[in-house]
Amino acid sequence: LGIELVRDRKTKEPAKEETRRAIEECCKRGLIVLKAGIRDNVIRLLPPLAITEDLLEEGFSILEDVLKGIRPA
């Protein structure tokens, strides 16, 4: 599962720096995500199969907060 970040939805310009900052901020908040994609603009999610619903919700909450705070560089 991955989330591709772009600066502009029409041009699809990769948001490399924003992706790097989002991954760094997730890590600071205790959520480990990976960078992926040939343009380094995909946040890759790899939750364990046995994750509890509470932990999943917590992870998505962190990710949502981080993505809302990311602005183009």
Side-chain angles (χ1 to χ4, degrees), residues 14-64:
K16 291 180 185 183
E17 180 60 26
E18 293 85 348
T19 303
R20 184 196 61 75
R21 290 194 334 254
I23 290 170
E24 187 177 287
E25 186 60 32
C26 282
C27 186
K28 287 179 185 176
R29 297 181 189 201
L31 178 64
I32 298 172
V33 294
L34 303 171
K35 180 171 58 174
I38 60 172
R39 294 178 182 91
D40 291 333
N41 67 321
V42 176
I43 296 175
R44 188 169 178 198
L45 308 173
L46 297 164
L49 293 175
I51 192 168
T52 65
E53 191 170 332
D54 289 342
L55 281 177
L56 190 60
E57 287 292 328
E58 182 181 346
F60 279 130
S61 178
I62 291 170
L63 183 60
E64 180 180 24

